């Protein structure tokens, strides 16, 4: 759709005001900003960006220049002629965080500073959709000198379909701090999050390889994080890391093998039967297949990323999240035990990589429920946004406190305003707007005699165009970027009632459901059963626990797929390849007897299972406690039926693991008990007596005949 033309919407009174302003420009060199209300516009036809600003902060002395670069794009459906760009700056500085917040919320089309007409650059005509770049060089003498934070930016003016009226047809705005070089440094802790929702295929391999290829590339979010980490300034950041992310990258670097159920232990000497050798890989045991080109490409990127980032994390301050970045309020409501599991797994993972890490809890939305606060470990640092604090702290300082105390726990407070980025128009979290907002927040704190530190969590999806330039711009003599522990230690912490922490109804609605936790727990139980079945595998259960934890993390809130359910189905399919076969029927001639059943192992891994007989009260079936079956083998089990009453008994032979958890396979065996009648025994006894009596009589007669 064609964009509205600002020139068509301007009143004649505004044109007259602009003409007068133009006359004033000729006389004094600047145009004072008119009242905001008279300058509001629906949308300007020229879109202006600021791509770089150097230096990023000023000192109150004469000499030197400030350089701005960026682009101007004609977003109108008509040509704009003789486009000219001017720098502008405000006359009065901002000195408090409240003033910065109010400024950032100012209408995008409101003029907030004086146009400096002596430093203009003409960029010519722009056709619809055309973009051109500009470079503005502003002498330092044209800018203010009083300490504080100033509006600074660019106005673009041109002649549209209705001509030129002297008002800005496009603008870009940011903040420019100015402090004396000898200002006592203020400390700042910048938390760099490494969080990505790890999705998996049913076989346990990492899914969405195209997304990972994009993330790990030099232009991707994780690729930019690598560039930040390997730069000198990156080691001063605090890295907020979900270990599940590093684990997934490690799996990708190894070729993204699926869930492995092959033996991880050597066969025991006392195993029944002759142990089979380790079978060749197959579909159920992480097959050795030639990797496709994308898998190979992602493996190369992942390997290079780990090689670069692991040394960085070993030297930097690492704040380790619970494994999978557990959804804390949802876990408190549906599965509190998952918190301990996630923390324990996180500790073990970082120890395995040799990365010293401090366990923390840091919800990405900066808020936590009261139950979530109660569930979490009071010894672990908790990072919340200032939006979670009660409105009246009695703090008495213009900036929010860097830490508060609930009586049982100290909470680090991250500035939500600093993390929101710069003022519009344009992307507030682009490189220059975000960096200048951080510097502005630090600068107003440096002006405060109490100098509370700045704690700020960088946006989770932040993808800077120039990560090194971003860090270089933060290098100021009055800013000390340190770790979270260094920035908050020894700070005065206002005491708050933990029940006063704000947690909105909308935040509660975003929590994961109880069904998601139930699905994850079902996956864990199935994975443990699989490990108990596999005779020589002792790792698959822990792998499945990790997979389940990633499905109940904060990042999983945005995912509609239930990966845990799909993985559970895959495992159940593996277990379904183990069967029990019994005879079609068994007849016992007495109260006890034996019959045979066969366990068939469809897996190419050795297994250990048990048979459980479900019967009616009239019969008891017993057998060995467990049986071991070689890979792809069969094993015949002799079962003893006893205490049987006459009649037909339906016996169900069920396969269970060594803990009694049913696997799914079963066989029905009808057992007939044929008890012999007592009358038959009477007839047999009488017949036997007559037979032996007749024999005795005949022998007696023969003896008498012989004597005669």
């Amino acid at each position: 759709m064609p964009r509205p033309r600002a020139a068509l919407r301007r009143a004649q009174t505004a044109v007259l005001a602009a003409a007068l302003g133009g006359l004033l420009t000729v006389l004094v060199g600047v145009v004072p900003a008119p009242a905001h209300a008279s300058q509001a516009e629906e949308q300007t036809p020229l879109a202006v960006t600021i791509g770089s600003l150097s230096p990023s902060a000023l000192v109150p002395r004469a000499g030197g220049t400030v350089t701005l670069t960026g682009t101007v794009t004609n977003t109108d459906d008509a040509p704009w002629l003789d486009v000219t760009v001017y720098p502008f700056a405000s006359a009065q500085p901002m000195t408090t965080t409240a003033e910065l917040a109010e400024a950032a919320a100012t209408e995008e089309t409101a003029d907030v500073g004086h146009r400096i007409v002596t430093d203009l650059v003409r960029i010519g005509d722009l056709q619809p959709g055309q973009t051109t770049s500009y470079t503005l060089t502003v002498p330092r003498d044209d800018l203010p000198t009083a300490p504080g934070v100033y509006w600074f930016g660019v106005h673009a003016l041109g002649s549209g379909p209705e001509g030129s009226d002297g008002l800005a047809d496009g603008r870009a705005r940011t903040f420019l701090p100015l402090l004396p070089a000898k200002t006592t440094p203020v400390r700042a802790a910048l938390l760099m999050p490494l969080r990505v929702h790890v999705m998996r295929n049913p076989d346990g391999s990492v899914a969405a390889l195209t997304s990972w290829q994009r993330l790990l590339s030099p232009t991707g979010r994780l690729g930019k994080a690598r560039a930040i980490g390997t730069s000198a300034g990156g080691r001063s950041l605090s890295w907020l890391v979900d270990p599940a992310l590093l684990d997934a990258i490690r799996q990708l670097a190894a070729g993204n093998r699926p869930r492995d159920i092959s033996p991880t232990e050597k066969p025991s000497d006392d195993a029944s039967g002759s142990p089979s050798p380790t079978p060749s890989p197959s579909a159920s045991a992480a097959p050795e297949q030639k990797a496709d080109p994308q898998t190979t490409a992602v493996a190369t990127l992942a390997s290079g990323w780990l090689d670069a980032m692991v040394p960085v994390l070993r030297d930097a301050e690492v704040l380790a999240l619970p494994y999978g970045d557990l959804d804390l309020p949802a876990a408190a409501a549906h599965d509190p035990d998952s918190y301990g599991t996630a923390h324990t797994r996180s500790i073990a993972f970082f120890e395995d990589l040799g990365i010293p890490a401090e366990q923390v809890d840091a919800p990405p939305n900066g808020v936590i429920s009261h139950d979530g606060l109660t569930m979490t470990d009071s010894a672990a640092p908790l990072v919340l946004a200032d939006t979670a604090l009660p409105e009246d702290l009695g703090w008495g300082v213009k900036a929010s406190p860097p830490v508060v105390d609930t009586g049982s726990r100290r909470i680090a407070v991250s500035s939500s305003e600093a993390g929101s980025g710069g003022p519009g128009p344009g992307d507030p979290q682009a490189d220059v707007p975000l960096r200048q907002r951080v510097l502005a927040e630090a600068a107003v704190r440096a002006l405060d005699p109490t100098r509370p530190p700045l704690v700020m969590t960088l946006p989770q999806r932040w993808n800077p165009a120039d990560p090194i330039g971003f860090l270089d711009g933060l290098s100021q003599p009055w800013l000390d970027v340190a770790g979270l522990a260094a920035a908050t230690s020894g700070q005065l912490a206002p005491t708050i009632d933990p029940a006063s922490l704000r947690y909105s109804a909308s935040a509660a609605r975003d929590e994961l459901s109880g069904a998601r936790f139930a699905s994850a727990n079902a996956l864990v139980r199935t994975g443990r059963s699989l490990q108990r079945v596999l005779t020589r595998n002792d790792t698959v259960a822990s792998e499945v626990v990790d997979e389940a934890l990633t499905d109940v993390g904060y990042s999983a809130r945005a995912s509609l797929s239930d990966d845990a359910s799909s993985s559970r189905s895959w495992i159940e399919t593996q277990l379904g390849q183990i069967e029990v076969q019994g005879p079609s029927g068994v007849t016992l001639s007495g109260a006890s007897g034996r019959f045979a059943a066969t366990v068939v192992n469809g897996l190419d891994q050795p297994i250990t299972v048990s048979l459980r007989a479900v019967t009616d009260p009239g019969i008891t079936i017993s057998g060995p406690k467990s049986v071991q079956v070689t890979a792809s083998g069969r094993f015949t089990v002799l079962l003893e039926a006893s205490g049987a009453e006459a009649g037909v008994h339906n016996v169900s032979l069920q396969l269970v693991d060594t803990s009694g958890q049913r696997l799914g396979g079963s066989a029905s065996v009808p057992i007939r008990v044929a008890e012999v009648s007592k009358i038959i025994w009477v007839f047999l006894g009488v017949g036997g007596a007559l037979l032996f009596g007749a024999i005795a009589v005949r022998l007696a007669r023969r003896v008498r005949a012989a004597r005669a």
Side-chain angles (χ1 to χ4, degrees), residues 285-311:
E288 292 286 356
Q289 299 176 351
K290 185 177 180 180
D292 62 272
Q294 185 179 46
T295 300
T296 301
V298 173
T300 301
L301 288 171
S303 180
W305 194 92
L306 287 175
D307 289 344
M309 282 301 297
V310 169

Side-chain angles (χ1 to χ4, degrees), residues 347-589:
I347 293 170
F349 179 83
F350 282 106
E351 288 179 349
D352 183 51
L353 284 183
I355 297 175
E358 182 175 21
Q359 298 295 307
V360 302
D361 298 315
N365 58 0
V367 295
I368 192 170
S369 65
H370 184 266
D371 288 342
L373 179 67
T374 304
M375 175 193 70
T376 54
D377 183 4
S378 60
L382 175 63
V383 181
L384 297 179
D386 50 17
T387 53
L389 301 182
E391 292 184 2
D392 185 13
L393 285 175
W395 169 234
V397 180
K398 295 179 181 179
S400 60
V403 63
V404 295
D405 195 338
T406 66
S408 61
R409 192 171 194 178
R410 285 171 68 89
I411 301 174
V413 181
S414 176
S415 170
S416 60
E417 293 291 348
S420 66
D427 181 3
Q429 295 179 343
D431 292 21
V432 172
L434 182 62
R435 183 192 67 195
Q436 296 306 116
R437 182 62 183 272
V438 173
L439 288 173
E441 293 286 346
V444 295
R445 284 168 170 80
L447 292 171
D448 189 335
T450 62
R451 285 185 175 79
L454 169 65
V455 177
M456 177 232 180
T457 303
L458 290 161
Q460 182 172 335
R461 298 186 178 278
W462 181 54
N463 187 13
D466 180 14
I468 307 304
F470 180 88
L471 289 180
D472 289 345
L474 293 178
S475 180
Q476 302 297 330
W478 43 265
L479 178 59
D480 178 16
V481 179
L484 180 65
T488 58
S489 63
Q491 292 295 317
L492 178 64
T495 301
I496 64 170
D497 182 354
S500 68
L501 287 173
R502 290 187 285 180
Y503 190 70
S504 64
S506 61
R509 286 194 298 269
D510 290 338
E511 295 175 13
L512 289 173
S513 65
R516 182 65 72 92
F517 279 84
S519 180
N521 283 326
L523 172 60
V524 170
R525 290 192 298 270
T526 308
R528 289 172 177 166
S529 184
L530 176 62
Q531 180 168 304
R532 286 191 289 264
V533 165
L534 297 170
T535 305
R536 301 203 303 273
N537 184 298
D538 62 354
T539 61
V540 70
S542 61
E543 293 174 6
V544 171
V545 169
D546 292 347
E547 295 169 18
L549 288 172
T550 61
D551 212 42
V552 290
Y554 281 104
S555 298
R557 288 181 172 185
S559 175
L560 298 178
S561 63
D562 186 353
D563 291 348
S565 178
S566 300
S567 293
R568 186 176 73 253
S569 296
W570 184 93
I571 295 175
E572 290 173 345
T573 298
Q574 306 306 305
L575 295 175
Q577 297 183 51
I578 306 171
E579 300 176 343
V580 58
Q581 298 176 352
S584 58
V586 175
T587 300
L588 301 181
S589 59

Side-chain angles (χ1 to χ4, degrees), residues 7-100:
L8 298 178
R9 291 168 172 77
R10 292 174 178 152
Q12 292 181 354
T13 54
V15 175
L16 177 60
L20 294 175
L23 177 60
L24 184 60
T25 298
V26 174
L27 297 176
V28 301
V30 296
V31 178
H36 291 173
S38 65
Q39 295 298 309
E41 303 170 5
E42 295 181 9
Q43 186 173 1
T44 56
L46 301 179
V48 186
T49 67
I50 299 176
S52 69
L53 171 61
S54 179
S56 54
L58 303 178
V59 293
R61 61 178 176 80
T65 59
V66 177
T67 302
L68 279 160
T69 68
T71 62
V72 181
T73 302
N74 180 5
T75 61
D76 204 349
D77 58 353
W80 278 76
L81 308 179
D82 192 24
V83 177
T84 305
V85 294
Y86 301 85
F88 76 85
S90 59
Q92 299 298 322
M94 294 169 276
T95 58
T96 67
T97 57
E99 289 177 313
L100 290 178

Side-chain angles (χ1 to χ4, degrees), residues 114-480:
H114 299 284
R115 194 177 302 154
I116 307 172
V117 298
T118 56
D119 303 321
L120 62 88
V121 171
R122 301 186 187 279
I123 61 176
D125 301 340
L126 290 178
Q127 299 302 314
Q130 183 180 354
T131 299
T132 190
S133 60
Y134 70 85
T135 299
L136 282 171
T137 302
V138 184
R140 178 64 185 83
D141 292 340
D142 290 346
L143 298 173
T145 58
V149 177
Y150 293 86
W151 280 105
F152 190 60
V154 178
H155 285 173
L157 284 76
S159 178
E162 301 301 320
S164 175
D165 55 14
L167 299 179
D169 302 303
R171 52 176 61 80
R173 313 177 303 174
T174 189
F175 297 135
L176 182 62
L178 189 156
L179 288 180
K182 294 184 179 180
T183 301
T184 302
V186 61
R187 281 193 168 180
L190 300 183
L191 279 56
M192 179 69 183
L194 291 180
R195 283 169 153 145
V196 172
H197 178 40
V198 180
M199 296 184 295
R200 294 187 181 274
N201 297 311
D203 64 359
S205 60
V206 179
L209 291 188
T210 300
S211 295
W212 285 101
Q213 190 170 11
R214 182 174 60 252
L215 285 168
L216 292 167
S217 70
T219 59
R221 179 154 53 95
L222 294 179
K224 296 293 181 61
R226 169 185 173 177
I228 290 175
T230 53
S231 68
R235 297 179 186 272
S236 62
L237 301 179
S238 297
W239 294 84
L240 193 61
V241 186
D242 176 8
L245 168 63
L246 299 184
D247 207 1
I249 296 176
R250 187 165 62 170
Q251 183 176 353
L252 291 170
N256 197 23
R257 290 169 60 85
R259 191 178 297 110
D260 192 353
I261 64 173
S262 60
T264 57
E265 300 176 339
K266 293 181 179 180
S268 58
D269 295 335
D270 59 348
S272 62
S274 57
S276 59
T278 301
S280 58
S282 70
S284 63
E288 292 286 356
Q289 299 176 351
K290 185 177 180 180
D292 62 272
Q294 185 179 46
T295 300
T296 301
V298 173
T300 301
L301 288 171
S303 180
W305 194 92
L306 287 175
D307 289 344
M309 282 301 297
V310 169
V312 169
L313 297 177
R314 286 172 179 163
D315 292 339
E317 181 183 59
V318 174
L319 307 175
L321 296 165
Y323 192 98
D325 197 11
L326 183 69
D327 187 334
L328 300 176
H334 306 297
D335 185 14
D337 290 341
S338 62
Y339 175 76
T341 302
H343 258 299
T344 300
R345 181 66 188 106
S346 180
I347 293 170
F349 179 83
F350 282 106
E351 288 179 349
D352 183 51
L353 284 183
I355 297 175
E358 182 175 21
Q359 298 295 307
V360 302
D361 298 315
N365 58 0
V367 295
I368 192 170
S369 65
H370 184 266
D371 288 342
L373 179 67
T374 304
M375 175 193 70
T376 54
D377 183 4
S378 60
L382 175 63
V383 181
L384 297 179
D386 50 17
T387 53
L389 301 182
E391 292 184 2
D392 185 13
L393 285 175
W395 169 234
V397 180
K398 295 179 181 179
S400 60
V403 63
V404 295
D405 195 338
T406 66
S408 61
R409 192 171 194 178
R410 285 171 68 89
I411 301 174
V413 181
S414 176
S415 170
S416 60
E417 293 291 348
S420 66
D427 181 3
Q429 295 179 343
D431 292 21
V432 172
L434 182 62
R435 183 192 67 195
Q436 296 306 116
R437 182 62 183 272
V438 173
L439 288 173
E441 293 286 346
V444 295
R445 284 168 170 80
L447 292 171
D448 189 335
T450 62
R451 285 185 175 79
L454 169 65
V455 177
M456 177 232 180
T457 303
L458 290 161
Q460 182 172 335
R461 298 186 178 278
W462 181 54
N463 187 13
D466 180 14
I468 307 304
F470 180 88
L471 289 180
D472 289 345
L474 293 178
S475 180
Q476 302 297 330
W478 43 265
L479 178 59
D480 178 16

